[in-house]
């Protein structure tokens, strides 16, 4: 019996949380030097300081995304919540686990705010969405809107790595 490497169907959907850093939109939690990727409008390409293609097996590089939107309660309430939520489509080399994945290419397709965030912050996210040329929605609506662009990685393919997708 041959075991084939599963191929993902075209672009896949993922969810992320960012914050506005001095250089632009960056990962909300910076636990790794490579998490300093600045997300600009258009295609974002994963890079690794070790010089290999990202994501790479045995390394934590690659652009990270989850299968479900993040839980905003975890990020605080009101002025304590400075997160920028959103959805990305991903393609290229994709390394999956049961809870999230790392991808080679991605682009933001929708940004979202949480109703418990401040008015000022919500306005900031609206401006960002305009800059990116994407829709700005309430976090509760994100999944419905994001599915206009792609679908999440099928359950049976999560955690089976390495996998690749071709647009
Ligand atoms: Zn790496």
């Amino acid at each position: 019996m041959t075991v084939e490497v599963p191929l993902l169907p075209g672009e896949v959907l993922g969810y992320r949380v960012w914050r506005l850093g001095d250089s632009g939109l960056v990962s909300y939690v910076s636990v790794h030097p490579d998490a300093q990727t600045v997300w600009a409008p258009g295609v974002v390409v994963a890079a690794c300081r070790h010089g290999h293609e990202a994501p790479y097996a045995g390394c934590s590089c690659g652009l990270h995304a989850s299968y479900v939107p993040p839980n905003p309660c975890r990020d605080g309430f009101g002025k304590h919540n400075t997160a920028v939520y959103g959805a990305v489509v991903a393609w290229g080399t994709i390394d999956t686990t049961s809870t999230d994945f790392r991808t080679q290419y991605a682009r933001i397709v929708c940004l979202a705010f949480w109703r418990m965030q401040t008015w000022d912050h919500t306005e900031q996210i609206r401006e960002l969405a305009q800059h990116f040329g994407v829709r700005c929605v309430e976090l509760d609506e994100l999944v419905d809107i994001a599915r206009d662009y792609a679908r999440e990685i099928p359950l049976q393919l999560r955690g089976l790595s390495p996998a690749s997708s071709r647009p």
Side-chain angles (χ1 to χ4, degrees):
M1 196 180 100
T2 357
V3 179
E4 292 190 13
V5 174
L7 280 179
L8 300 173
E11 296 185 338
V12 296
L13 185 61
Y15 302 94
R16 282 190 50 99
V17 53
W18 297 269
R19 67 184 168 81
L20 263 172
D22 296 334
S23 47
L25 208 54
V26 293
S27 284
Y28 191 63
V29 191
S30 304
V31 289
H32 191 269
D34 298 318
Q36 291 306 325
T37 300
V38 176
W39 287 69
V43 178
V44 179
V45 184
C48 182
R49 69 202 153 97
H50 298 301
H52 49 231
E53 276 210 344
Y56 192 77
C59 194
S60 62
C61 55
L63 306 166
H64 291 242
S66 306
Y67 304 124
V68 292
N71 172 9
C73 297
R74 201 188 50 190
D75 307 320
F77 292 80
K79 68 177 162 70
H80 298 291
N81 187 320
T82 56
V84 177
Y85 303 96
V88 301
V89 292
W91 67 97
T93 303
I94 293 180
D95 187 70
T96 68
T97 71
S98 58
T99 55
D100 56 9
F101 64 91
R102 301 182 293 147
T103 179
Q104 186 177 14
Y105 302 106
R107 71 186 160 88
I108 295 177
V109 291
C110 192
L111 290 176
F113 57 88
W114 183 36
R115 61 183 184 282
M116 298 301 287
Q117 291 181 305
T118 63
W119 172 260
D120 284 354
H121 187 68
T122 303
E123 283 302 294
Q124 223 174 6
I125 296 176
R126 281 190 202 286
E127 278 170 30
L128 259 180
Q130 237 168 24
H131 174 63
F132 274 76
V134 299
R135 291 175 72 178
C136 180
V137 300
E138 213 277 322
L139 188 55
D140 289 345
E141 305 170 321
L142 182 59
V143 172
D144 278 348
I145 304 296
R147 283 181 178 167
D148 285 348
Y149 300 92
R151 300 304 292 230
E152 293 88 354
I153 293 172
L155 211 56
Q156 66 270 23
L157 294 183
R158 297 177 187 178
L160 292 179
S161 289
S164 288
S165 78
R166 291 171 203 287

